[in-house]
Amino acid sequence: MTQAYPLQWPHGRPRKAPTERKDATFGKVVGTGHERRLKSLSLADARGRLQDEVDRLGGKSAILSTNVALRLDGLPRSGQGEPDDTGVALYFDLGGKPHVLACDTYTRVADNIAALAAHIEATRKIERLGVATAAEMFAGFQALPAPGSASWWSVLQVEQDATAEQIEAAFKRLARERHPDRPGGSHDMMADLNRAREQGLKERSRG
C-alpha cells in the first residue's frame, strides 16, 4: 500500500546523491510594481500547485509521498526543518492505470513538489498540440511493483494464459527498456523480468 510518510520512492527509479541536489528557481511572485519579488514556495503553495495540475490532468487517487511528517488530517506538521532526503513521489491513477512521478533534484521538498507540478503542466501543454494524449506521454511513468510482489503475467504485461511465444516476445520488448544499460533501467528491473519469464515458461511447460 502506498504511504504518504515516510517517502516511498518508486521501485527501479534511480536516486540522486545529496551532493547532486541543487537550489531551485521555483517560487511565487509577491508584491506589485517596484515591490515585486520572487518568494520561495511554502509546502502548502507547492502542494496546492500539484493538486491543481493533477486535477487538470484527470488524475485520480493521488498520494504524495515525502519525508515530511503529517498530522492526522494529512497536512504537514508545523515547525519541521527540511528532511535529509528531500525527494518526493506522486502516485496516481490515469486512464485506469497506476502511475508515479518522482523528483529528488532539489534541496527543498517544496521545490521538488513544484517540479512535479511543472512537469504535469508542460505535458498538458504538449498534449494540446494533438500529437499524443497525456496518457500516452505518461506511459513511461507507470508504477512498477516491488520486486517479487507481482504475478509473472503482470510483470510481463501479458494475459495469464499467454503462450510461450507471447511470453518470450514480451520479455524481449521489456528487456530493451529495463536493461541496466538503458536510461531508466536497473538490475532490479531485469531481475524481475527474468524471474517472471522463468515462472511463465515453467507454467507453460506443465500445461
Side-chain angles (χ1 to χ4, degrees), residues 100-182:
V100 59
L101 296 175
C103 184
D104 59 354
T105 300
Y106 303 104
T107 56
R108 300 175 66 243
V109 172
D111 290 319
N112 283 316
I113 296 173
L116 298 185
H119 179 88
I120 296 175
E121 180 184 20
T123 303
R124 290 193 303 102
K125 289 179 179 178
I126 295 172
E127 181 184 32
R128 290 199 289 270
L129 297 175
V131 178
T133 66
E136 290 170 335
M137 287 185 282
F138 276 110
F141 295 98
Q142 288 188 24
L144 297 173
S149 65
S151 61
W152 64 264
W153 57 88
S154 63
V155 173
L156 291 172
Q157 299 177 6
V158 297
E159 297 297 329
Q160 188 175 358
D161 60 355
T163 64
E165 290 76 14
Q166 291 171 326
I167 291 171
E168 290 285 12
F171 173 81
K172 291 177 181 178
R173 175 177 58 83
L174 293 171
R176 287 194 292 269
E177 302 172 2
R178 301 181 185 178
H179 192 277
D181 292 339
R182 300 286 294 177

Side-chain angles (χ1 to χ4, degrees), residues 7 9 15-24 67 82-88 103-109 112:
L7 172 63
W9 190 259
R15 296 301 313 265
K16 284 186 171 60
T19 54
E20 296 178 293
R21 296 178 191 145
K22 56 186 179 181
D23 294 332
N67 281 318
E82 291 292 337
D84 292 335
D85 183 353
T86 58
V88 304
C103 184
D104 59 354
T105 300
Y106 303 104
T107 56
R108 300 175 66 243
V109 172
N112 283 316

Side-chain angles (χ1 to χ4, degrees), residues 55-97:
D55 291 342
R56 294 184 184 113
L57 180 66
K60 305 295 183 183
S61 305
I63 297 176
L64 178 62
S65 185
T66 75
N67 281 318
V68 176
L70 303 175
R71 305 184 316 206
L72 291 178
D73 60 4
L75 295 176
R77 293 178 183 171
S78 60
Q80 296 182 73
E82 291 292 337
D84 292 335
D85 183 353
T86 58
V88 304
L90 174 70
Y91 293 84
F92 62 101
D93 289 340
L94 184 63
K97 296 180 179 179

